[in-house]
Coordinates of all heavy atoms in Angstrom, one line a residue:
P42 N 108.8 146.3 56.0 CA 108.7 146.7 54.6 C 107.8 147.9 54.4 O 107.1 148.3 55.4 CB 108.1 145.5 53.9 CG 108.0 144.4 54.9 CD 108.0 145.0 56.2
V43 N 107.7 148.4 53.2 CA 106.8 149.5 52.8 C 105.4 148.9 52.9 O 105.2 147.7 52.7 CB 107.1 150.1 51.5 CG1 108.4 150.8 51.5 CG2 107.1 149.0 50.4
Y44 N 104.4 149.8 53.0 CA 103.0 149.3 53.0 C 102.7 148.3 51.9 O 102.1 147.3 52.1 CB 102.1 150.5 52.9 CG 101.9 151.2 54.2 CD1 101.8 152.6 54.2 CD2 101.7 150.6 55.4 CE1 101.5 153.3 55.3 CE2 101.5 151.4 56.6 CZ 101.4 152.8 56.5 OH 101.2 153.4 57.7
T45 N 103.1 148.7 50.7 CA 102.6 147.9 49.5 C 103.2 146.5 49.5 O 102.6 145.6 48.8 CB 103.1 148.6 48.2 OG1 104.5 149.0 48.2 CG2 102.2 149.9 47.9
A46 N 104.3 146.3 50.2 CA 104.9 144.9 50.2 C 104.4 144.1 51.4 O 104.9 142.9 51.6 CB 106.4 145.1 50.2
L47 N 103.6 144.7 52.3 CA 103.4 143.9 53.6 C 102.7 142.6 53.3 O 103.1 141.5 53.9 CB 102.4 144.7 54.5 CG 103.1 145.9 55.2 CD1 102.1 146.8 55.8 CD2 104.2 145.4 56.2
H48 N 101.7 142.5 52.5 CA 101.1 141.2 52.2 C 102.0 140.2 51.6 O 102.0 139.1 52.0 CB 99.8 141.4 51.3 CG 99.0 140.2 51.1 ND1 99.1 139.5 49.9 CD2 98.1 139.6 51.9 CE1 98.3 138.4 50.0 NE2 97.7 138.5 51.3
T49 N 102.7 140.7 50.6 CA 103.7 139.7 50.0 C 104.8 139.2 50.9 O 105.1 138.0 51.0 CB 104.4 140.4 48.8 OG1 103.4 140.8 47.7 CG2 105.5 139.6 48.2
V50 N 105.3 140.1 51.8 CA 106.2 139.7 52.8 C 105.6 138.8 53.8 O 106.2 137.7 54.3 CB 106.9 140.9 53.4 CG1 107.8 140.4 54.6 CG2 107.7 141.7 52.3
A51 N 104.4 139.1 54.3 CA 103.6 138.2 55.2 C 103.6 136.8 54.7 O 103.8 135.8 55.4 CB 102.3 138.8 55.5
E52 N 103.2 136.6 53.4 CA 103.1 135.3 52.8 C 104.3 134.6 52.7 O 104.5 133.4 53.0 CB 102.4 135.5 51.5 CG 100.9 135.8 51.5 CD 100.3 135.8 50.1 OE1 101.0 136.1 49.1 OE2 99.1 135.4 50.0
T53 N 105.4 135.3 52.4 CA 106.8 134.8 52.2 C 107.3 134.4 53.6 O 108.0 133.3 53.7 CB 107.7 135.7 51.5 OG1 107.1 136.2 50.3 CG2 109.1 135.1 51.2
L54 N 107.0 135.0 54.7 CA 107.5 134.8 56.0 C 106.8 133.6 56.7 O 107.2 133.2 57.7 CB 107.4 136.0 56.9 CG 108.3 137.2 56.6 CD1 108.1 138.4 57.6 CD2 109.8 136.8 56.7
A55 N 105.7 133.2 56.1 CA 104.8 132.2 56.8 C 105.6 131.0 57.2 O 106.3 130.4 56.4 CB 103.6 131.8 55.9
G56 N 105.5 130.6 58.5 CA 106.2 129.5 59.0 C 107.6 129.7 59.5 O 108.3 128.8 60.0
S57 N 108.1 130.9 59.3 CA 109.5 131.3 59.7 C 109.5 131.9 61.1 O 108.4 132.1 61.7 CB 110.1 132.2 58.7 OG 109.5 133.5 59.0
N58 N 110.6 132.2 61.5 CA 110.8 132.8 62.9 C 111.0 134.4 62.8 O 111.5 135.0 63.7 CB 112.0 132.2 63.7 CG 113.3 132.4 62.9 OD1 113.4 132.5 61.7 ND2 114.5 132.5 63.6
I59 N 110.6 134.9 61.7 CA 110.6 136.3 61.5 C 109.3 137.0 61.5 O 108.3 136.4 60.9 CB 111.3 136.7 60.1 CG1 112.7 135.9 60.0 CG2 111.4 138.2 59.9 CD1 113.3 136.1 58.7

Side-chain angles (χ1 to χ4, degrees):
V43 296
Y44 282 142
T45 53
L47 286 173
H48 184 258
T49 295
V50 172
E52 289 187 325
T53 310
L54 290 177
S57 76
N58 60 330
I59 304 173

